[in-house]
Amino acid sequence: MIAYVINPGSASTKLALAELERGENPNLPAQLRLQLTKVEIEHPALSSGHLELGRLIADLTAAAAGWPAPDAVAAHCGLIGQPEPGAYRVTPQLAEWLLLHPHGEHTSNVGAALALALGQERGAAAYIVDPPDVDELRPEARLTGLSGVERLSRLHTLNARLVGRRAAHEQGLRFQDARVVVAHLGGSISVSAFEAGRIIDTTGARLDEGPFTPTRAGTLPTRAVLDLAYSHPRRDVERTLLCEAGFVSLTGTADLRELERREKTDAQVKLAADAFAHQVAKSIGAYSAALSARPHAIAITGGVARWESVVARIERRVGWIAPITVLPGELELEALAEGVGRVLLGQEEAHDWQAPAALGT
Ligand SMILES: Nc1ncnc2c1ncn2[C@@H]1O[C@H](COP(=O)(O)OP(=O)(O)O)[C@@H](O)[C@H]1O
Ligand SMILES: CCCC(=O)OP(=O)(O)O
């Protein structure tokens, strides 16, 4: 099978030709054989609000011109309204709706329009896969200690489900038969509990809960949030919590490569790295306890998983819980290919999207 997969970014868009075949292990049917030919198309550093689609579609079409015709085109996307996991058929209505409902500063909302255009150009159906608001939370995970305030399911679904599946496969288990905790440690962070292939609980991301990130505060004591909220305009508080917190506030930089170089000689950097590992380990422990029994595997992914001494700290803290799989960076192109590949190979049915009444705030 042949698929084109698209992962839009603010300064470049990644495109790949995916050649997919069934795997060799009959016990792990979702373990597909995949070969990716990747290209990266750079464009001006634009927010999703005004990324000029026509030029990018022309660039994508040109990049794929010599490729074999695809059976499908798939793209990363933004929030579509608490969907099921898996692939959704892209219609003009879905593509348009995503452009009108950008997900924060992300450009992933243009993915559906790009997939639709490239699919029309090459005579193939277009799909999106595993949106960030897939919602499978258990009822007891949705409630908070205040009636009317509910926790939201927001996570790096596309990468986390692939990494969770890979971690289960490493233990010889199908994803739907495994209990896995996935810590996606990127510029944004989510720690999630997967049971029977479903996201039963998650820290969420952005202004939800969880460890601090390169620029974000993560979970703070409620009294501190109240102090901030009643002493500054909301816009300023959100900027502080999302852009001026985390490693930036503790060390002065969000460039963790620099911190990796400094940590041996800079006590403040070492303490911040210790605190980060402490928070990630506590989250992994908490989301291990969210499962009905001990996890079969723990997976650590995202760009920060390249910081080896931090990963080593986390492994020392949680290695007693379950075997740990480390997959640094993000495997979103692979996840798109495998997600649409499972549809093309008849292993999963694609969903049809209906516009939601409202997005969870
Ligand atoms: N080799 C590395 N060592 C330490 N940190 C790294 C390394 N590579 C990337 N990072 C950090 O990972 C973060 C970005 O993670 P990534 O998952 O790529 O981000 P995003 O969430 O934007 O996709 C940045 O803070 C960056 O400093
Ligand atoms: C919602 C999780 C993926 C994502 O887009 O992260 P942020 O919203 O925290 O940037």
Side-chain angles (χ1 to χ4, degrees), residues 103 105-106 132 154-156 188 205-206 216:
H103 164 41
E105 68 281 4
H106 286 270
R154 291 282 188 279
L155 68 151
H156 303 77
S188 162
R206 198 177 291 275
R216 298 176 179 176

Side-chain angles (χ1 to χ4, degrees), residues 15-349:
L15 169 70
L17 164 66
E19 296 168 274
L20 295 139
E21 294 180 330
R22 291 183 192 285
E24 293 161 348
N25 184 343
N27 299 317
L28 299 176
Q31 194 174 47
L32 306 182
R33 282 187 294 176
L34 170 64
Q35 184 169 344
L36 288 184
T37 305
K38 300 179 183 180
V39 296
E40 186 162 1
I41 295 166
E42 295 190 349
H43 39 71
L46 296 171
S47 71
S48 58
H50 53 282
L51 186 65
E52 189 207 326
L53 284 185
R55 183 188 68 246
L56 185 48
I57 290 167
D59 291 345
L60 291 168
T61 303
W67 291 354
D71 300 293
V73 182
H76 195 187
C77 72
L79 312 179
I80 68 169
Q82 277 75 38
E84 288 292 313
Y88 276 76
R89 292 178 188 84
V90 176
T91 60
Q93 293 73 23
L94 173 53
E96 183 65 22
W97 192 87
L98 275 160
L99 290 175
L100 296 174
H101 297 80
H103 164 41
E105 68 281 4
H106 286 270
T107 53
S108 54
N109 59 293
V110 302
L114 297 175
L116 190 65
L118 197 50
Q120 287 167 344
E121 179 71 28
R122 300 302 297 266
Y127 299 85
I128 55 166
V129 181
D130 286 343
D133 58 345
V134 166
D135 187 344
E136 303 173 295
L137 293 186
R138 284 194 174 142
E140 62 271 31
R142 198 180 301 279
L143 256 59
T144 68
L146 184 57
S147 173
V149 175
E150 290 198 339
R151 298 177 68 248
L152 290 176
S153 184
R154 291 282 188 279
L155 68 151
H156 303 77
T157 317
L158 190 60
N159 188 55
R161 293 188 80 240
L162 175 133
V163 166
R165 179 176 283 109
R166 296 269 174 97
H169 290 171
E170 276 195 16
Q171 303 309 315
L173 296 169
R174 300 188 315 168
F175 190 40
Q176 59 262 49
D177 299 330
R179 295 182 296 276
V180 187
V181 174
V182 178
H184 179 110
L185 310 179
S188 162
I189 288 181
S190 60
V191 179
S192 307
F194 290 83
E195 184 147 1
R198 297 180 70 83
I199 309 159
I200 62 162
D201 203 348
T202 180
T203 56
R206 198 177 291 275
L207 289 171
D208 295 312
E209 303 160 33
F212 65 81
T213 86
T215 63
R216 298 176 179 176
T219 301
L220 291 176
T222 305
R223 79 180 95 80
V225 178
L226 286 171
D227 291 345
L228 282 167
Y230 282 91
S231 52
H232 303 284
R234 178 180 178 120
R235 184 180 55 256
D236 295 352
V237 176
E238 287 202 13
R239 187 181 63 250
T240 299
L241 297 178
L242 288 174
C243 308
E244 299 163 358
F247 278 104
V248 165
S249 71
L250 297 173
T251 68
T253 179
D255 182 350
L256 304 194
R257 298 170 191 80
E258 177 192 329
L259 296 183
E260 193 175 13
R261 290 189 293 272
R262 284 170 47 191
E263 74 168 308
K264 288 189 171 55
T265 56
D266 184 326
Q268 182 58 25
V269 169
K270 180 186 179 305
L271 178 58
D274 287 343
F276 176 74
H278 180 70
Q279 289 201 1
V280 172
K282 286 200 298 184
S283 278
I284 290 171
Y287 285 83
S288 296
L291 297 163
S292 61
R294 190 187 203 108
H296 297 101
I298 292 166
I300 301 172
T301 185
V304 186
R306 294 193 181 98
W307 188 347
E308 291 180 4
S309 65
V310 161
V311 172
R313 289 173 169 91
I314 297 166
E315 287 179 318
R316 283 196 294 274
R317 296 285 291 273
V318 301
W320 60 275
I321 299 173
I324 298 173
T325 294
V326 181
L327 285 170
E330 42 80 14
L331 299 162
E332 284 158 345
L333 288 173
E334 291 82 352
L336 287 168
E338 293 188 6
V340 75
R342 286 191 291 274
V343 172
L344 293 174
L345 294 169
Q347 296 177 345
E348 282 180 8
E349 283 295 318

